[in-house]
């Protein structure tokens, strides 16, 4: 059974969204379900929903995204109604 996780990401406009999505998809078995990013001045704020089969994969994705120095904030979102 796969679990869907939501992350709220805030990053500078210098970061390519493709870099974030390819980071998520680089983890074996992870699939992006939904993206919702908006420009807020010089920053982008958004939610990314992705599906993974194991909790350790989620933690690995968080680690990979946080390594990017252009990311201001990454946090898990518990409200699943945002996704669907």
């Amino acid at each position: 059974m796969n679990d869907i996780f939501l992350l709220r990401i805030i990053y500078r406009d210098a970061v390519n969204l493709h870099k974030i999505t390819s980071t998520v998809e680089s983890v074996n078995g992870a699939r992006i379900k939904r993206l919702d990013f908006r420009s807020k001045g010089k920053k982008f704020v958004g939610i990314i929903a992705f599906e993974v089969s194991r909790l350790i994969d989620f933690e690995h994705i968080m680690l990979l995204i946080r390594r990017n120095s252009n990311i201001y904030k990454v946090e898990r979102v518990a409200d699943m109604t945002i996704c669907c």
Side-chain angles (χ1 to χ4, degrees), residues 22-68:
S22 62
T23 299
V24 170
E25 293 175 340
S26 72
V27 174
N28 192 19
R31 290 187 323 160
I32 295 175
K33 301 294 276 181
R34 185 166 185 233
L35 291 172
D36 184 19
F37 283 88
R38 293 189 172 91
S39 176
K40 301 284 185 183
K42 294 184 178 183
K43 294 187 280 188
F44 283 86
V45 178
I47 301 285
I48 183 170
F50 56 91
E51 183 178 25
V52 294
S53 57
R54 300 176 304 174
L55 182 60
I56 191 126
D57 294 335
F58 167 73
E59 293 169 359
H60 185 66
I61 289 171
M62 287 279 291
L63 177 70
L64 290 174
I65 292 175
R66 284 185 174 149
R67 282 185 181 168
N68 188 332

